[in-house]
Amino acid sequence: MLFRSSHYLHDYVAHSQTFEDQILSLISNGVFNKFPDLKFVMIESGVTWLPGFIWRAIKTWRGVRAEVPWVDRSPAEIVRSNIRLTVQPFDAPPGDREAVERIVEQIDSDRMLLFASDYPHWQFEGDAILPPGLSDGLIGRIRVDNPLETYPR
């Protein structure tokens, strides 16, 4: 049976589960083993769900490696080298600089985040696209370096 969301609230809040499922499917089916240089960009996925997902993926993979022997390195390594997320929405508590810093620290990669404005959607945040708590160096990576590395010319 196929379940579809009936309301925008359900659709928008449940996005992270869909993105987690897609990443895990790509990893467990060996897509990044076959295409090691592939960069997969998740747009409008949010960001704050990623640390918990990485932790659960590592924990479970350690116990079931025999089921997916072609996954020959930690899911965290695969995610950090092959997955990119846009920072709109960042979905952190507003104005909580420390929470943003912790999330970025837990992701443990300054190369995964890409700029996106989300214009013209209803939740477009105008000038407040990037959350507080990002260093100037990380903002530069998000706006320039990471997109150029993700989409080389």
Side-chain angles (χ1 to χ4, degrees):
M1 175 182 272
L2 177 66
F3 291 98
R4 291 208 121 112
S5 53
S6 314
H7 304 283
Y8 189 72
L9 172 66
H10 181 186
D11 178 62
Y12 191 73
V13 173
H15 272 175
S16 63
Q17 295 169 339
T18 304
F19 289 107
E20 288 180 17
D21 184 56
Q22 291 300 309
I23 292 173
L24 203 51
S25 178
L26 291 164
I27 292 170
S28 65
N29 285 295
V31 171
F32 299 117
N33 286 25
K34 186 167 184 167
F35 305 102
D37 296 327
L38 177 68
K39 301 293 186 251
F40 203 88
V41 179
M42 302 281 184
I43 298 172
E44 295 187 22
S45 65
V47 174
T48 58
W49 56 268
L50 188 61
F53 167 77
I54 289 173
W55 178 83
R56 284 189 315 279
I58 294 169
K59 178 179 78 85
T60 305
W61 170 73
R62 286 179 179 154
V64 297
R65 284 188 210 183
E67 184 180 284
V68 287
W70 49 87
V71 181
D72 56 1
R73 57 191 174 122
S74 167
E77 290 178 47
I78 297 169
V79 166
R80 290 181 183 120
S81 67
N82 298 93
I83 302 295
R84 301 294 177 262
L85 306 171
T86 59
V87 293
Q88 176 58 27
F90 196 89
D91 60 3
D96 192 341
R97 179 180 224 86
E98 289 179 14
V100 171
E101 289 171 353
R102 277 194 310 275
I103 291 163
V104 171
E105 182 181 312
Q106 291 169 349
I107 291 171
D108 194 26
S109 174
D110 63 352
R111 301 186 182 289
M112 291 184 65
L113 304 177
L114 303 171
F115 177 81
S117 71
D118 204 35
Y119 178 82
H121 293 154
W122 68 269
Q123 71 272 33
F124 171 65
E125 296 172 336
D127 293 337
I129 293 167
L130 296 172
L134 301 178
S135 69
D136 290 340
L138 182 55
I139 289 172
R141 287 211 62 81
I142 289 169
R143 288 184 171 165
V144 179
D145 300 332
N146 293 347
L148 289 174
E149 289 173 8
T150 302
Y151 304 107
R153 297 178 185 187

